[in-house]
Amino acid sequence: MEQPPISDYAFLSDARSGALVGKDGSVDWWCPSRFDGASVFGRLLDPSAGHFRLAPAGAGGPGHRVERAYRPDTLVLRTVHHTPQGSVAVTDALAAETGARAHQLGMNSPAVLVRVVEGLSGRVRMALDFAPRPEYGLLTPYLHEQPDGGVLAGAGPVVLVLRAGDLPLRPDRGRVTQEFEISAGQVLGMDVAFGETYGAPPVRLDPLTALDETTRAWEAYRQTHSYSGRYPELVRHSATVLTGLTYARSGAVAAALTTSLPEQIGGDRNYDYRFSWLRDFSLTMRALWVAACPDETSRLFAWAARSIGRIGDEPVPVLFGLEGERDLSEHQCTHLRGYRDSWPVRIGNDAWRQRQLDVPGEVTSAVWRLRDYLGATFEDELGEMVLGLTEQVAATWRLPDRGMWETRDEERHYLSSKVLCWLAMDHAVRLADRLGDRADPGRWAAVRDDIRDAVLREGWNDRIGAFTGAFGSSELDASALILPVAHFLPATDPRMRATIEMIARELGSDDGLVRRWTTDPGGFLLCSFWLVECLVIAGERKRATELFERVVGFANDVGLFSEQIDMDTGTQLGNTPQALSHVGLINAAWRLTEPDSY
């Protein structure tokens, strides 16, 4: 089974874990314990690492056509297969807890994958292929027929139970393959329930009822939110995707569902994104705020404050596990080929060890955004956190770091890191009256001004006529677009205006995509949306609108973005769905609505 294009995948979520299902009807990624748990279906990273395919027999042949869409305001996917013999719909979801509504979604997810087949016309022969391979494909389970006609798969710490109504299932050598016919008007529900070998057994649900309950839970969730700006359907859908990437128990937002999908096919920049980044924090908070998600905003902030803990001399990590875990040490799965032979496959992310000086600025930006909700005086852990971050910036801003793109070579004096240091000090000065007797706004203001002077002096390159990626460098970097977004410098400033135009010309394309740097293999979607924001701030709303509408056209057929887009072919690259890409869309749409906002 060849691995499909990344854009072929749709996203299912129960706000605990997520799954990817392709246009070919194959669930090729599911880590049922939680987003960053081990997969039981991992064909995404190796054809032999497990899948659950459900589609017409001979799908992909002449006369076979696929249409699919989410039920409105949900991550419940309906795929319609049109064949010469008739049409059939398969509706897929990760089940919500029975009775869950609105913000209860994901709190006690049963870890059940639901698939419902419905005959629409004619008589279609369907093929089921269930091949679970737990622990990222390391285990081939024993399969046992059950008295109720289901099949139990057990290996290592994992138990899975496949049920398919009255359809008889016969396991053979670690998989179940079965063909059956479905006529117009017939409905067949099936599910795969996850459990732990030494824990509670898998939950048993009625698939049709579970599908209805899950749809209602998502609809109720979205009904608690509103958005009144431009491109409301795009923003609402992106907000739904962010909800789907939120680990409900803690409020943390995973950067993406997947690990090791490559930035370049055959390349080795393949990283695990199933964690929550503080660098993304203020951008995500801003997007959730724009999309009118106050509960998610507050819970995400509380997660970050608890995860950071008491601040000492060591740099605050840029990322944490979904429940605040700090040690995310990286290892390679040598038994997996990688997506289309893009190796290595990495589990964990060693970026947690890096010094990244932009982190305090991201966190204090979030504090500033929530200041009116956090009280006139910041007490206990909140005050300690802001004071600790501020003093850490004051002591370390002159040091080099790895930068926001998490380079794994030498440290440099990255422009974006210095700008975020400036932002941290600026917010600290503005928040000083809430921080008690230990606040020192005079000294902080002096540090802030020193940082600003250094950025304007060292970050500008006279020879090329633009701000560059690092002090003393001649290399353009799209991260310079954050200067006006962070209110460091107006987009109308001649130096900033020149930088914006040079980035658009040298790093951009006619399609609106913007690379991070000249050798970047793909257009980085967040940077593309930053360019939209910069153009709006500079007063070029018409140009910004045209750019925005070209960039959003790179979403797949169900409105999902990965991290990057291949500049030559337009195909999606990198981990998917990517939170920052959807965050960028929301923030750019709101900037087009309210140019002077935030």
Side-chain angles (χ1 to χ4, degrees):
M1 297 174 68
E2 181 183 346
Q3 290 160 300
I6 292 170
S7 58
D8 268 16
Y9 287 106
F11 172 42
L12 311 177
S13 173
D14 57 10
R16 157 183 168 159
S17 66
L20 293 179
V21 55
K23 287 183 179 179
D24 62 355
S26 184
V27 178
D28 289 345
W29 187 250
W30 187 30
C31 304
S33 61
R34 66 183 217 179
F35 291 114
D36 55 352
S39 66
V40 296
F41 302 134
R43 176 188 167 212
L44 182 72
L45 298 177
D46 191 296
S48 66
H51 62 273
F52 177 19
R53 190 165 185 266
L54 181 63
H64 180 233
R65 181 170 55 89
V66 174
E67 296 177 305
R68 46 180 202 167
Y70 288 112
R71 290 182 176 177
D73 289 333
T74 78
L75 292 180
V76 176
L77 179 73
R78 188 172 189 264
T79 302
V80 178
H81 297 272
H82 300 284
T83 77
Q85 292 74 39
S87 296
V88 63
V90 178
T91 304
D92 295 318
L94 288 179
E97 181 187 12
T98 301
R101 294 293 180 268
H103 295 96
Q104 298 170 335
L105 180 67
M107 291 299 184
N108 294 288
S109 297
V112 177
L113 170 65
V114 174
R115 315 197 74 177
V116 174
V117 186
E118 177 187 2
L120 301 179
S121 66
R123 187 172 181 83
V124 179
R125 189 160 188 82
M126 300 291 291
L128 176 156
D129 185 2
F130 174 72
R133 298 293 183 265
E135 294 291 297
Y136 300 109
L138 282 172
L139 297 174
T140 299
Y142 291 106
L143 269 58
H144 302 283
E145 295 182 43
Q146 300 297 288
D148 63 359
V151 170
L152 183 147
V158 172
V159 175
L160 296 172
V161 176
L162 168 67
R163 300 183 181 93
D166 295 330
L167 183 69
L169 301 173
R170 299 287 182 265
D172 181 30
R173 298 183 182 182
R175 69 196 302 167
V176 176
T177 56
Q178 182 77 33
E179 293 193 1
F180 60 95
E181 292 188 338
I182 191 154
S183 301
Q186 281 188 299
V187 177
L188 173 65
M190 59 185 70
D191 67 278
V192 181
F194 164 80
E196 298 172 344
T197 299
Y198 304 105
V203 172
R204 180 163 191 164
L205 297 177
D206 175 71
L208 300 183
T209 301
L211 188 62
D212 180 64
E213 283 287 307
T214 302
T215 301
R216 293 172 63 190
W218 278 104
E219 290 172 344
Y221 197 98
R222 296 274 18 117
Q223 287 169 7
T224 64
H225 307 108
S226 61
Y227 170 77
S228 57
R230 296 184 67 184
Y231 306 102
E233 291 186 3
L234 291 175
V235 168
R236 285 177 67 86
H237 182 57
S238 285
T240 300
V241 173
L242 290 181
T243 300
L245 289 170
T246 299
Y247 182 66
R249 288 182 58 182
S250 67
V253 178
L257 180 66
T258 57
T259 178
S260 300
L261 291 185
E263 296 179 8
Q264 184 175 15
I265 301 300
D268 62 358
R269 288 182 57 85
N270 318 321
Y271 301 116
D272 194 344
Y273 278 13
R274 298 173 299 161
F275 310 111
S276 195
W277 266 251
L278 289 182
R279 181 202 305 106
D280 307 347
F281 191 59
S282 66
L283 296 172
T284 304
M285 292 277 287
R286 177 178 158 197
L288 291 173
W289 194 266
V290 163
C293 305
D295 288 345
E296 292 90 329
T297 303
S298 300
R299 295 190 68 237
L300 177 58
F301 181 82
W303 167 85
R306 182 175 294 273
S307 297
I308 291 170
R310 186 175 293 278
I311 298 170
D313 295 333
E314 292 297 313
V316 174
V318 68
L319 71 155
F320 292 91
L322 300 176
E323 294 185 1
E325 300 90 346
R326 182 168 292 215
D327 186 344
L328 303 175
S329 296
E330 185 177 297
H331 70 276
Q332 297 180 2
C333 290
T334 57
H335 65 287
L336 295 176
R337 287 169 41 184
Y339 177 80
R340 297 193 174 182
D341 295 321
S342 301
W343 195 84
V345 171
R346 294 180 170 98
I347 305 300
N349 196 312
D350 275 344
W352 76 274
R353 305 176 190 273
Q354 295 183 354
R355 175 167 57 228
Q356 297 189 16
L357 298 177
D358 56 330
V359 171
E362 299 289 0
V363 177
T364 57
S365 291
V367 175
W368 177 253
R369 189 169 304 282
L370 284 179
R371 64 193 182 278
D372 292 337
Y373 293 85
L374 295 172
T377 302
F378 294 170
E379 298 178 351
D380 303 325
E381 288 90 349
L382 176 59
E384 288 291 330
M385 181 183 74
V386 176
L387 287 165
L389 290 171
T390 302
E391 294 299 345
Q392 190 172 94
V393 171
T396 64
W397 74 268
R398 291 182 175 85
L399 298 174
D401 74 333
R402 299 289 184 178
M404 68 163 52
W405 308 131
E406 298 175 8
T407 59
R408 297 199 173 193
D409 53 9
E410 64 186 76
E411 293 185 334
R412 296 178 176 86
H413 292 279
Y414 285 100
L415 179 80
S416 58
S417 297
K418 306 304 184 187
V419 170
L420 268 295
C421 286
W422 170 87
L423 190 63
M425 301 309 296
D426 187 60
H427 285 139
V429 171
R430 297 170 184 267
L431 293 167
D433 60 347
R434 304 176 189 230
L435 295 172
D437 296 339
R438 292 164 58 195
D440 194 351
R443 178 169 59 86
W444 295 345
V447 173
R448 175 195 63 190
D449 295 343
D450 286 346
I451 299 172
R452 181 178 180 83
D453 290 344
V455 170
L456 295 177
R457 182 179 64 253
E458 304 293 337
W460 174 261
N461 186 304
D462 270 326
R463 185 173 63 82
I464 68 170
F467 287 104
T468 56
F471 287 3
S473 172
S474 60
E475 295 295 323
L476 282 176
D477 191 313
S479 61
L481 294 172
I482 71 166
L483 270 68
V485 175
H487 304 286
F488 179 87
L489 204 63
T492 51
D493 180 280
R495 292 162 297 180
M496 196 64 237
R497 200 72 183 87
T499 302
I500 292 170
E501 290 304 325
M502 187 167 289
I503 287 173
R505 183 174 64 252
E506 301 297 329
L507 300 183
S509 71
D510 292 339
D511 292 323
L513 298 172
V514 177
R515 293 173 292 173
R516 289 171 292 180
W517 51 77
T518 54
T519 58
D520 207 14
F524 203 82
L525 285 158
L526 177 65
C527 297
S528 305
F529 289 123
W530 277 347
L531 180 57
V532 170
E533 290 202 62
C534 286
L535 291 174
V536 175
I537 299 169
E540 293 195 56
R541 187 185 289 195
K542 182 176 184 295
R543 181 181 170 194
T545 298
E546 293 171 352
L547 178 67
F548 178 87
E549 292 179 354
R550 288 199 296 271
V551 173
V552 298
F554 286 100
N556 74 355
D557 61 316
V558 289
L560 299 179
F561 287 110
S562 64
E563 183 179 39
Q564 301 186 53
I565 303 294
D566 186 288
M567 300 283 271
D568 296 323
T569 65
T571 58
Q572 297 198 8
L573 296 169
N575 286 304
T576 194
Q578 180 79 203
L580 271 186
S581 298
H582 289 276
V583 163
L585 183 154
I586 293 171
N587 289 336
W590 185 243
R591 184 73 74 180
L592 284 163
T593 303
E594 296 287 345
D596 299 324
S597 63
Y598 30 154

